[in-house]
Amino acid sequence: MTKSPEEKEAAKAAKLVEKEAAKAALADVVDSKEDKPEVVVPKVKSDLEVRFKAFLEKYKEQNPEKFAIKEAKGEFNKIPDSFV
Amino acid sequence: MANTLSTYSLRHKYFKANLEVALRNALIAEKICNVDRSDLKTIENPYITNQAATIQAVAGTYTPAAMTVTDDALSVNDEVVVATHVYDFEMRTGNFDFMANFLEDLIYSVDFKIDQFALNKILDSATGTYTTPAGGFTTAANVPVICANLLSKIGGYQSGIAKAPFLVIENTDLVGFAQAQVASGFTYADAALNNGFMTNYMGIDIYVIRTGTFVTSTLGTLTATNSGHRLFGISGLASYASPRGVAYEEKGITSKTGKEVVAYGYIGVKVWTPHAGLFVDITLA
């Protein structure tokens, strides 16, 4: 059944109202996110990483020159298999 | 129809009178170091700081320079110890001399740990550095390049390449080294082909250790970061002190039959400060 021009106008207006309402709702969500920033949970280091870090601190104290050379080469970026 | 025979109704034979042992690593620290086994806590070796002479047009005048002598010492600060207990019932009813066999293995364990400590300590003390081309020693074409570069680092000194340079590699490096040897010229290549791995290359004594000897780990008082590294230097310059070598004790323990057996040793290693530049810490690219 075809709609009358008035009915078409009314449907158009209703759709527009719906769009505006959705926009407003989204704005609310965005605003609320800005008010409450996302909580960042710090990455938990494994026991091995913690021990390796302490080990490197000790090595830095024992041999600072070689520590600097090896750190610059990126040797400490990965925990070697021999470290337990 | 198959007979059912018990295990001990069949003849057993033992391959040898002693217990077989696990594979043992090569020990090389004593071959590259100056070894001292006397009863000592420290070895003192003070050194002079070299003064450069002045060359000038003939004048007859000069200014005396003050000499500096700096102390340098090796200190025996680490001990290596391992023990076990052999019960009397084990000794009496065993098919082997457990005490002797276990003790022999314990002594090797102490020897190996001392050797590992010495190698890692020398490498940690080396102030010379070199990074190999990509592929390290496993690429045959790199081997002469690496060796030539290492020799250039110690050349020109009185205690340089005229003496005995050495290179410590791991077994995985043999892949490239062995190929480089058989691809070299004439009699050397023939010898390598006929006799296998040659322990001298370009005048450098080559020592092979097992992967896992150079470590990134705490070894006694040493914090070592040597995993993946190799060592080059001059034999006889580093010093290794192990008062009275490896000793052992057999002792009775309260409330236990049999004897506890313990093997132990003390170790101090030093690369004397003036010579530290003659040892090269090799990083594999």
Side-chain angles (χ1 to χ4, degrees):
Chain A
M1 179 178 101
T2 53
K3 286 188 181 170
S4 68
E6 292 83 13
E7 279 173 343
K8 277 187 185 168
E9 281 298 323
K12 232 184 186 172
K15 256 195 181 152
L16 206 67
V17 167
E18 231 179 85
K19 250 190 183 164
E20 292 298 323
K23 229 186 190 172
L26 186 64
D28 282 348
V29 168
V30 167
D31 283 345
S32 69
K33 269 195 175 174
E34 276 171 0
D35 291 341
K36 297 171 201 162
E38 202 178 310
V39 175
V40 176
V41 177
K43 186 182 163 204
V44 175
K45 285 191 175 173
S46 71
D47 172 60
L48 189 67
E49 284 169 347
V50 169
R51 283 191 291 109
F52 189 61
K53 192 178 172 194
F55 173 84
L56 290 179
E57 287 299 323
K58 202 174 167 192
Y59 180 63
K60 188 177 178 181
E61 218 176 279
Q62 200 172 79
N63 202 333
E65 295 87 8
K66 283 197 111 167
F67 176 87
I69 293 169
K70 291 183 179 183
E71 192 184 32
K73 285 182 182 173
E75 281 189 34
F76 303 139
N77 294 344
K78 186 177 165 244
I79 302 175
D81 295 336
S82 61
F83 184 80
V84 288
Chain B
M1 181 199 77
N3 297 316
T4 302
L5 301 175
S6 68
T7 304
Y8 293 103
S9 64
L10 301 172
R11 192 175 297 118
H12 290 258
K13 180 183 173 180
Y14 286 90
F15 185 63
K16 50 187 184 180
N18 292 319
L19 289 166
E20 185 60 88
V21 295
L23 284 173
R24 291 183 172 176
N25 293 345
L27 304 178
I28 64 163
E30 289 191 20
K31 297 176 189 170
I32 62 175
C33 291
N34 176 357
V35 180
D36 189 315
R37 293 201 197 285
S38 51
D39 295 353
L40 61 98
K41 173 63 180 172
T42 61
I43 300 178
E44 305 291 339
N45 189 21
Y47 61 93
I48 304 171
T49 301
N50 181 252
Q51 289 288 352
T54 302
I55 182 164
Q56 61 192 23
V58 173
T61 56
Y62 55 86
T63 305
M67 299 297 288
T68 303
V69 176
T70 309
D71 282 338
D72 204 9
L74 175 160
S75 194
V76 177
N77 288 332
D78 289 87
E79 68 175 8
V80 181
V81 61
V82 65
T84 191
H85 189 95
V86 185
Y87 292 95
D88 183 73
F89 71 88
E90 292 171 333
M91 287 193 274
R92 284 197 200 195
T93 60
N95 208 37
F96 299 92
D97 183 345
F98 290 123
M99 186 66 82
N101 285 198
F102 288 172
L103 183 56
E104 202 239 334
D105 202 61
L106 294 181
I107 289 171
Y108 160 74
S109 291
V110 173
D111 277 333
F112 169 69
K113 192 54 73 176
I114 286 176
D115 205 76
Q116 185 184 38
F117 175 86
L119 289 173
N120 278 278
K121 179 79 177 184
I122 294 170
L123 186 49
D124 188 60
S125 304
T127 57
T129 57
Y130 173 70
T131 303
T132 67
F137 292 101
T138 56
T139 301
N142 287 346
V143 173
V145 171
I146 294 169
C147 290
N149 276 279
L150 292 173
L151 287 172
S152 78
K153 288 191 173 286
I154 59 165
Y157 293 112
Q158 289 182 357
S159 45
I161 55 176
K163 297 280 177 77
F166 71 85
L167 172 64
V168 181
I169 59 173
E170 291 185 348
N171 56 288
T172 48
D173 300 326
L174 283 176
V175 170
F177 237 107
Q179 290 181 68
Q181 289 184 348
V182 301
S184 54
F186 306 109
T187 51
Y188 185 90
D190 287 343
L193 283 164
N194 286 329
N195 305 317
F197 181 70
M198 303 285 279
T199 55
N200 190 285
Y201 186 83
M202 289 174 69
I204 303 169
D205 289 329
I206 312 294
Y207 295 100
V208 184
I209 56 173
R210 292 299 297 180
T211 297
T213 304
F214 287 128
V215 292
T216 292
S217 187
T218 300
L219 295 172
T221 58
L222 175 66
T223 307
T225 56
N226 297 326
S227 187
H229 288 242
R230 308 290 183 265
L231 172 63
F232 174 81
I234 305 287
S235 293
L237 285 189
S239 288
Y240 160 137
S242 183
R244 298 196 193 180
V246 178
Y248 69 89
E249 290 174 16
E250 294 174 24
K251 39 192 166 182
I253 300 295
T254 308
S255 307
K256 282 186 181 179
T257 63
K259 294 259 175 82
E260 178 179 282
V261 58
V262 54
Y264 53 90
Y266 307 103
I267 179 69
V269 179
K270 179 77 178 179
V271 172
W272 303 110
T273 305
H275 299 146
L278 290 175
F279 290 87
V280 180
D281 183 343
I282 304 167
T283 307
L284 302 180

